[in-house]
Amino acid sequence: MTDHRVHVVTDSTASLPPGTAERLRSVPLHVVVDGEPHLENVGLTAEDVAAHLQAGHRVTTSQPTPRAFGEAYAAAAAAGAREIVSVHLSGELSGTVHAAALAASDAPVPVRVVDSRTVAMGLGFAARAAAEAAAAGAPTDVVARRAIEVADASRAVFLVDSLDHLRRGGRLSAAAAALGTVLGVRPLLAVREGRIEVVQKVRTRTAAVERLTTVAVDSAGRRTRPALAVHHVGDDDGAHRLAAELTDRTGLDAVVTPVSAVLGAHVGPGVLAVVVADLADRGSGVADLVPLR
């Protein structure tokens, strides 16, 4: 963690690649397997969750406690933070951002809590951009605006083998889940206004991957400084093939990382996702402090 004035905190659903978290303080969510709680990414991966689901175990998730956030904020303050920007997954999907806000009221330094209204590397890119702004010496307002602008300009699209996990977890309506099941399609899902929605129905997984690729390429082409991430649960080879195809078609290197264990519990085995972000300064003011790469 740096000794800069503003520190950035996020949560484990950001699905950040190894090494990135060194510049961020990440608070883990909880995965509960047959009543036994686990901290996400602490001995329990998305692949472990997929195995539990396939074995028929009951898997649920829960947000961090305000106490966990309080400990993270206290640790940041002890490391030299004079202010904190805390950036988290959509409040429409989890109470994590609410728990962060509760802890912020008792933190030893001022905390600005940001609802990214997105998930996975949509959140990850936003938190990373905020951390880079903080490292450049940006004040709290600019760091928070940087997180918001990157999150707002991101698009997360993913396909799953089954909608049952999302339906059971309450992240997708029963009607939307039933539609995909009845028609026997491979639905493409997206995060819109902080919620998960079915955006397209494709007959086969091969066709769905092709459509996912096209959507990502088109989205990248409409962004000023596009950045790409590919997520998966237990399909590293498939994710790298998709990333290579995206690189061929866009010239951009795509980050490949497993989706977080908590998100894996909700989307289930077989998920393949693409996040497209725009890292351009769209008015946050960070470009006035340091030229963006």
Side-chain angles (χ1 to χ4, degrees):
M1 184 63 61
T2 68
D3 59 354
H4 295 287
R5 176 176 177 273
V6 180
H7 286 204
V8 176
V9 172
T10 188
D11 62 71
S12 54
T13 65
S15 305
L16 289 160
T20 309
E22 293 176 2
R23 290 177 290 163
L24 296 165
R25 207 172 290 276
S26 181
V27 178
L29 275 74
H30 301 263
V31 181
V32 183
V33 181
D34 287 340
E36 182 179 354
H38 303 266
L39 287 176
E40 178 172 33
N41 298 333
V42 181
L44 189 75
T45 66
E47 285 76 10
D48 296 329
V49 167
H52 284 301
L53 291 170
Q54 290 170 332
H57 298 157
R58 175 172 170 74
V59 180
T60 59
T61 64
S62 63
Q63 67 212 38
T65 63
R67 179 178 178 178
F69 278 111
E71 291 172 350
Y73 298 154
R82 293 172 58 188
E83 295 184 74
I84 296 169
V85 174
S86 199
V87 190
H88 302 290
L89 82 158
S90 173
E92 297 285 349
L93 301 175
S94 169
T96 297
V97 72
H98 178 64
L102 287 176
S105 63
D106 292 325
V109 296
V111 179
R112 178 77 58 84
V113 178
V114 174
D115 182 348
S116 73
R117 297 183 65 77
T118 187
V119 297
M121 276 298 289
L123 166 61
F125 282 126
R128 191 168 69 180
E132 291 172 349
T140 301
D141 286 350
V142 171
V143 173
R145 286 201 303 271
R146 182 68 176 141
I148 292 168
E149 73 178 0
V150 172
D152 284 350
S154 71
R155 185 178 187 188
V157 183
F158 50 102
L159 66 92
V160 294
D161 282 341
S162 170
L163 295 175
D164 288 343
H165 303 292
L166 284 165
R167 176 185 57 78
R168 285 199 295 266
R171 270 65 180 186
L172 191 67
S173 71
L179 180 62
T181 302
V182 169
L183 295 178
V185 299
R186 300 284 183 169
L188 287 181
L189 311 175
V191 179
R192 288 181 173 174
E193 298 299 323
R195 300 182 180 90
I196 294 175
E197 298 180 357
V198 177
V199 294
Q200 192 170 359
K201 298 177 289 293
V202 185
R203 286 292 178 183
T204 67
R205 184 174 178 87
T206 298
V209 173
E210 291 175 355
R211 182 58 185 155
L212 186 64
T213 305
T214 299
V215 168
V217 171
D218 289 347
S219 293
R222 293 194 297 271
R223 283 160 170 77
T224 305
R225 286 188 63 224
L228 299 172
V230 176
H231 294 301
H232 66 95
V233 174
D235 187 12
D236 188 67
D237 289 344
H240 276 91
R241 285 195 300 272
L242 175 56
E245 177 68 16
L246 291 174
T247 297
D248 286 344
R249 295 176 61 177
T250 66
L252 302 168
D253 290 330
V255 174
V256 179
T257 178
V259 75
S260 77
V262 164
L263 296 178
H266 289 293
V267 296
V271 67
L272 196 59
V274 177
V275 175
V276 184
D278 192 342
L279 304 184
D281 183 0
R282 304 167 67 89
S284 67
V286 70
D288 295 331
L289 299 166
V290 60
L292 293 171
R293 294 188 304 275

